[in-house]
Amino acid sequence: MFWADKIAQDIKEKNLPLAWVDDMKTPSGRIHVGSLFGVVFHDLVYKALKDQGVNAKYTYVFENHDPMDDIPSYLPREKFEKYLGMPLFKVPSPVEGYKDFAEYYALEFKETFNKIGSNPEIIWTKDLYTSGKMNPGIKKVLDNAEEIRKIYQEMYKKEIASDWYPFQVYCEKCGKVSTTRVYNWDGEKVHYRCVVDATDWTKGCGSEGATSPFSDESGMKGKMPWKVEWAVKWQAIGVTIEGAGKDHMSRGGSHDLATLVCERVLKYPVPYPIRYEFMLIGGKKMSSSKGQGFAASDMLDILPAELVRFLIVKKDINQQTNFDPAEKNTIPTLFDEYQKAADAYCNKTDEDLARIFEFSQVDGIKKLPAVRFSVLAQWVQMPNMQDEIKKQGLEEWAKYARVYIEKYAPDSEKFVVQKSLPDVAKNLSEKQKEFLKTIASELDKAFNAEDFQTQIYESGKALGLSGKETFAAIYLSLIGKDHGPKAAWLILSLDKEFVKKRFEEISNVILGSKATPESHNESDSGQARMTDFQQARTISPEIFSLSKEVTEKFPSISVGVAVIKGVNIEKTNPDLEKEKQEVLESLHGLTTEALGQYQEIIAYRKLYKEMGVDWHSRRPSPEALLRRVALHKGLYTVNTCVDAYNLVVMKHRVSMGAFDLDKTVFPTEVRFAKDDEEILLLGDTEPTKYKPTELGYFDGNGGFSLDINYRDAQRTAAQLETRNLFINVDGFYDITPEMVEKSLQEACDLIIKYCGGTVEVFGVKK
Ligand SMILES: [Zn+2]
């Protein structure tokens, strides 16, 4: 049974003449989304009670009589500083058109909870006091000040002064409440001082006086400390059900104190408590006191009202949970769950989930979109889908899909139809181009999207293309990425003539001859090949450059740079293992002496000598790899990316590295290290210091390789979760730019063969 129904059942057995549910909040600034949880949880109990035929009422108390004890960071301090210590209803509203500060923020919050379907009756504490309803409680509390001191002493295990009274007067002279101290109660009047140094955030006026503590229509005289007041309020209103978040409800917390006041002083039955855990928003505890945070009203900017309500209703009240809209899939998953709950409701499959759906409704049960939110998030990025969205009645959700794409979606879910042919599409294989030509000629036939999707797949297959190659051809030519929304829907959302022209344009692009004679041909690579470069392209300094000092000292240096996007790196691959075995066999008989004869190995040793590094203790990476082979230690298995390019390193003895593009802060460069620069190497726990004579690859966060190719940094390592790669290959002395380019080309080919992806940048800097 849903938790609120269980509580309602429990309460029903008490046979109360009226079940009065209440919750409260001090409107001291923008009210944080966290406070919505209390409103809705109490609302659920109230509605569950009504469903069981219990006479119930739900009120919400805005504590506008509390003092302003802090100025929210988004308000001008100089304007509000003089009001610190005064009750919020005496502080002016930050925005014109509202009675006071408290009203402005309270109404903003009320509007939000009304929008998500909670409509408690509002009570303002100032009215509660001036109506005289609190006065009997105030009298009891003052008459029993000694008992209340005892309760405080018991709970907090500290001595309470015998002239302390549970009441604070609104100073008759300066109007502040936080600064006054009552030191006597004579049965008619409380005697007080407004203490100059009572707090460290506002000053008292130093005056003394005696006044009746009983508020009436003429105004408020003072208030009780809130934990005592909480209990007095229960009795004054007649509350029978009220809970709070865990921080107030834990042992020794404010609820325990209010309970003792109820039992020992007021003789009023403690309301039925609803105890709940918090939800963190983006990993932060919900609190409105510090900074602007995530206000309740902000929630409605990112989710429809019923989804905000659903997020709260479905929460396990006994578990702390987290909602991070910026985390991948958080928002699409919430919509999916909502649709699942709707199914449970319609098909009567899961009773609790059905009840959650029912309780999440704001005004009646609306017909739900049949399309998943993630699909809708693609539709809103496609041109010409407005009609379809309208036809299916998806405008409301589409609005939020646009917000999601703009604010929270990862780049992999975003796309833009390119106005001109994307550069990456120029490298499609001949078969892919032929395929696009076929599709262009089919466009005039009228298809529905489902059939067209099948047709696309079949056309690719007929030409010997894999599904991946087939769809990549479409995506690369339309949106410049190798993945995207369902291809048929994408194409049909576009102007037919535009697509036709684009596909024909691609099939007319003529590629140059293959750059390297021994590069794999199409049939054995089995992947979309993007590396048919006629010649290396120039690399923009925004991506990579060589420092002047480096080119002056090492005029022979050349660095090949490539970016491959959309890779899928795996732990191992059986075909790759086979290829590694073959390379091992081809190196059979290699000795450490023979190794030192290779011109490339000699080149790197010379570089190390120039950098002041002993190559006996730090081996350049090609040498280190081949030494393992010579010493029969076998090959490392790191992952399919690193293993693939290591094959090229062993073959050509030219060093290279592949890094996580998304963890690299561009621009990058090869330069000498600066004083005190350090690098945390892969596999190490302590950073290593560079010497100023040592070279490395550097990005916006510092070095990501030590001695060019000795070892790489942890932070940029290409790992299983890496999606985009930044690759570099470096040559010195006898290692020519042509050798560098050839090695880079082969590395790209092999990485794409085993990890997929598309080359987006390729070139050699010298
Ligand atoms: Zn004063």
Side-chain angles (χ1 to χ4, degrees):
M1 191 188 272
F2 185 65
W3 67 265
D5 291 320
K6 241 181 276 173
I7 288 182
Q9 207 173 49
D10 223 17
I11 294 169
K12 190 181 180 181
E13 282 167 16
K14 295 180 191 296
N15 276 321
L16 300 166
L18 174 63
W20 193 316
V21 185
D22 181 67
D23 190 17
M24 61 177 174
K25 180 74 194 167
T26 302
S28 55
R30 298 196 77 198
I31 298 179
H32 193 272
V33 55
S35 300
L36 274 185
F37 286 74
V39 178
V40 174
F41 291 154
H42 285 87
D43 188 32
L44 293 175
V45 172
Y46 162 69
K47 286 181 174 151
L49 283 164
K50 297 283 268 186
D51 284 354
Q52 295 193 25
V54 176
N55 182 26
K57 188 179 168 83
Y58 179 22
T59 51
Y60 196 83
V61 176
F62 279 119
E63 300 191 294
N64 61 339
H65 72 308
D66 275 341
M68 174 184 244
D69 59 4
D70 197 8
I71 299 166
S73 60
Y74 42 87
L75 292 179
R77 199 172 175 85
E78 56 289 359
K79 188 180 162 195
F80 288 97
E81 201 160 20
K82 58 175 178 259
Y83 301 107
L84 277 171
M86 287 192 193
L88 291 163
F89 68 77
K90 282 194 181 164
V91 181
S93 164
V95 171
E96 259 180 72
Y98 295 86
K99 249 192 334 211
D100 54 62
F101 191 94
E103 188 187 75
Y104 173 67
Y105 289 110
L107 291 186
E108 182 192 52
F109 185 55
K110 175 181 179 283
E111 193 188 331
T112 304
F113 65 61
N114 286 163
K115 277 184 186 161
I116 65 166
S118 293
N119 297 287
E121 190 184 303
I122 303 300
I123 294 175
W124 302 89
T125 34
K126 185 196 167 213
D127 298 343
L128 197 58
Y129 270 90
T130 55
S131 70
K133 282 187 188 147
M134 296 290 272
N135 290 339
I138 291 171
K139 184 163 166 32
K140 276 189 217 168
V141 160
L142 284 170
D143 287 346
N144 292 284
E146 183 51 31
E147 185 59 40
I148 296 206
R149 281 179 215 123
K150 245 199 260 164
I151 292 172
Y152 271 85
Q153 264 164 16
E154 263 175 55
M155 287 221 24
Y156 303 118
K157 308 273 177 271
K158 66 175 190 195
E159 210 54 41
I160 304 289
S162 58
D163 64 349
W164 177 86
Y165 284 83
F167 197 81
Q168 277 186 296
V169 170
Y170 285 5
C171 175
E172 292 160 292
K173 203 168 165 205
C174 72
K176 290 182 184 174
V177 58
S178 306
T179 51
T180 63
R181 296 286 177 266
V182 168
Y183 61 88
N184 190 23
W185 160 240
D186 62 16
E188 277 184 23
K189 287 184 171 180
V190 282
H191 299 250
Y192 72 96
R193 297 185 185 95
C194 183
V195 182
V196 178
D197 292 321
T199 74
D200 51 10
W201 41 270
T202 189
K203 295 248 181 270
C205 67
S207 67
E208 293 198 22
T211 179
S212 161
F214 304 121
S215 300
D216 54 28
E217 288 146 13
S218 69
M220 251 189 98
K221 297 290 168 45
K223 69 183 287 294
M224 287 163 281
W226 87 267
K227 295 170 196 174
V228 176
E229 191 175 73
W230 198 7
V232 173
K233 183 200 74 174
W234 287 335
Q235 188 171 36
I237 296 178
V239 174
T240 51
I241 299 131
E242 176 163 354
K246 188 185 86 165
D247 50 350
H248 295 311
M249 303 296 290
S250 56
R251 188 184 288 270
S254 21
H255 193 268
D256 275 2
L257 194 136
T259 297
L260 292 178
V261 174
C262 256
E263 288 168 351
R264 296 195 201 162
V265 179
L266 304 175
K267 319 288 180 200
Y268 181 76
V270 178
Y272 187 102
I274 302 165
R275 189 187 313 265
Y276 53 86
E277 276 278 356
F278 291 101
M279 174 178 270
L280 307 181
I281 303 287
K284 287 192 201 86
K285 180 163 183 279
M286 301 174 302
S287 157
S288 52
S289 58
K290 290 271 179 298
Q292 190 142 9
F294 208 83
S297 54
D298 296 338
M299 221 45 189
L300 288 169
D301 293 338
I302 65 169
L303 294 171
E306 61 273 18
L307 268 286
V308 175
R309 191 170 170 95
F310 174 68
L311 176 68
I312 302 172
V313 175
K314 81 181 177 82
K315 187 190 180 305
D316 178 347
I317 58 166
N318 297 316
Q319 290 289 325
Q320 179 172 296
T321 54
N322 187 29
F323 176 77
D324 187 353
E327 203 173 78
K328 197 173 180 238
N329 286 332
T330 295
I331 291 180
T333 305
L334 182 68
F335 277 87
D336 286 354
E337 284 173 356
Y338 185 69
Q339 280 169 322
K340 206 175 138 203
D343 284 347
Y345 178 80
C346 296
N347 305 323
K348 302 191 168 45
T349 44
D350 178 331
E351 210 175 287
D352 275 10
L353 196 56
R355 186 71 168 143
I356 286 172
F357 179 76
E358 195 181 354
F359 267 139
S360 302
Q361 299 314 303
V362 172
D363 42 20
I365 291 172
K366 287 184 215 156
K367 189 173 164 275
L368 276 205
V371 176
R372 282 181 68 189
F373 184 80
S374 50
V375 173
L376 197 54
Q378 295 176 340
W379 285 12
V380 298
Q381 298 179 79
M382 297 180 195
N384 308 330
M385 283 302 274
Q386 275 319 309
D387 288 349
E388 186 64 26
I389 288 171
K390 217 168 163 182
K391 202 173 96 193
Q392 297 202 29
L394 303 171
E395 289 113 318
E396 164 85 356
W397 280 28
K399 193 172 94 192
Y400 294 97
R402 275 184 213 104
V403 173
Y404 168 67
I405 290 298
E406 194 183 308
K407 280 179 128 172
Y408 299 114
D411 283 344
S412 60
E413 288 176 26
K414 294 186 210 173
F415 59 88
V416 177
V417 175
Q418 303 291 307
K419 290 206 165 57
S420 56
L421 181 63
D423 270 355
V424 284
K426 292 175 184 161
N427 300 312
L428 290 175
S429 71
E430 293 305 323
K431 272 184 196 164
Q432 285 175 308
K433 287 192 263 171
E434 200 182 328
F435 155 71
L436 291 177
K437 211 170 170 179
T438 317
I439 295 299
S441 68
E442 301 274 339
L443 276 177
D444 283 331
K445 296 183 195 161
F447 283 113
N448 71 38
E450 299 282 355
D451 295 344
F452 189 34
Q453 184 79 2
T454 315
Q455 167 78 12
I456 289 170
Y457 179 77
E458 293 298 334
S459 300
K461 203 173 155 195
L463 287 163
L465 292 171
S466 70
K468 196 171 166 186
E469 290 166 318
T470 301
F471 291 109
I474 291 171
Y475 299 135
L476 285 165
S477 50
L478 293 176
I479 61 178
K481 294 177 130 189
D482 64 357
H483 60 278
K486 275 191 167 179
W489 278 259
L490 175 63
I491 292 174
L492 294 178
S493 80
L494 297 165
D495 178 68
K496 219 176 253 183
E497 289 310 309
F498 167 85
V499 179
K500 222 193 254 182
K501 217 177 117 212
R502 173 66 52 87
F503 287 175
E504 279 161 4
E505 188 185 350
I506 294 167
S507 48
N508 292 331
V509 173
I510 297 160
L511 282 183
S513 59
K514 298 238 155 68
T516 50
E518 62 272 53
S519 64
H520 312 271
N521 62 39
E522 235 110 36
S523 58
D524 73 29
S525 87
Q527 293 287 339
R529 289 174 36 79
M530 301 300 156
T531 56
D532 305 49
F533 292 89
Q534 210 163 5
Q535 58 185 33
R537 299 173 193 183
T538 48
I539 294 296
S540 110
E542 279 150 28
I543 296 175
F544 174 78
S545 57
L546 295 162
S547 87
K548 204 165 131 269
E549 290 74 10
V550 170
T551 48
E552 270 166 12
K553 186 161 166 80
F554 301 103
S556 61
I557 186 175
S558 65
V559 174
V561 173
V563 166
I564 302 181
K565 289 201 174 167
V567 295
N568 178 21
I569 301 174
E570 281 163 345
K571 193 84 199 94
T572 57
N573 174 301
D575 288 341
L576 178 57
E577 287 307 314
K578 221 192 275 167
E579 219 168 318
K580 281 161 74 179
Q581 219 41 53
E582 284 164 17
V583 171
L584 260 188
E585 277 157 27
S586 75
L587 291 168
H588 182 77
L590 179 73
T591 62
T592 50
E593 288 79 11
L595 198 48
Q597 306 302 312
Y598 285 119
Q599 56 169 3
E600 297 87 3
I601 302 296
I602 294 169
Y604 288 125
R605 285 180 180 177
K606 199 167 149 192
L607 166 72
Y608 273 44
K609 216 172 149 199
E610 287 292 327
M611 295 193 295
V613 177
D614 175 13
W615 57 261
H616 293 91
S617 56
R618 285 185 186 176
R619 305 271 181 184
S621 65
E623 182 175 353
L625 270 176
L626 289 168
R627 259 179 85 82
R628 281 187 70 86
V629 177
L631 299 169
H632 307 289
K633 288 184 178 169
L635 294 177
Y636 289 115
T637 297
V638 181
N639 57 47
T640 50
C641 164
V642 176
D643 293 6
Y645 77 72
N646 271 344
L647 290 181
V648 183
V649 175
M650 287 189 287
K651 184 172 162 199
H652 294 305
R653 298 168 297 276
V654 174
S655 75
M656 62 180 73
F659 305 91
D660 192 321
L661 182 84
D662 302 311
K663 291 180 180 157
T664 310
V665 180
F666 289 93
T668 62
E669 62 175 336
V670 165
R671 63 164 166 85
F672 286 103
K674 293 173 191 157
D675 278 341
D676 293 318
E677 273 185 309
E678 293 182 337
I679 177 170
L680 181 61
L681 296 165
L682 191 60
D684 283 5
T685 50
E686 294 295 327
T688 303
K689 250 199 171 78
Y690 287 97
K691 284 186 289 189
T693 52
E694 291 176 285
L695 290 183
Y697 284 85
F698 289 84
D699 74 351
N701 281 336
F704 59 94
S705 88
L706 177 62
D707 300 332
I708 290 289
N709 58 21
Y710 166 57
R711 280 170 68 188
D712 298 332
Q714 242 168 58
R715 65 179 172 91
T716 47
Q719 289 167 324
L720 300 184
E721 61 273 18
T722 299
R723 288 292 162 263
N724 303 308
L725 292 170
F726 177 59
I727 301 167
N728 46 54
V729 179
D730 32 68
F732 293 80
Y733 306 111
D734 288 335
I735 306 170
T736 62
E738 290 71 32
M739 287 166 72
V740 165
E741 186 188 337
K742 184 172 164 177
S743 300
L744 181 62
Q745 171 102 44
E746 287 189 33
C748 288
D749 283 354
L750 263 192
I751 289 172
I752 289 171
K753 178 173 174 184
Y754 288 110
C755 311
T758 314
V759 175
E760 293 209 354
V761 171
F762 184 98
V764 177
K765 192 100 192 167
K766 49 192 169 187

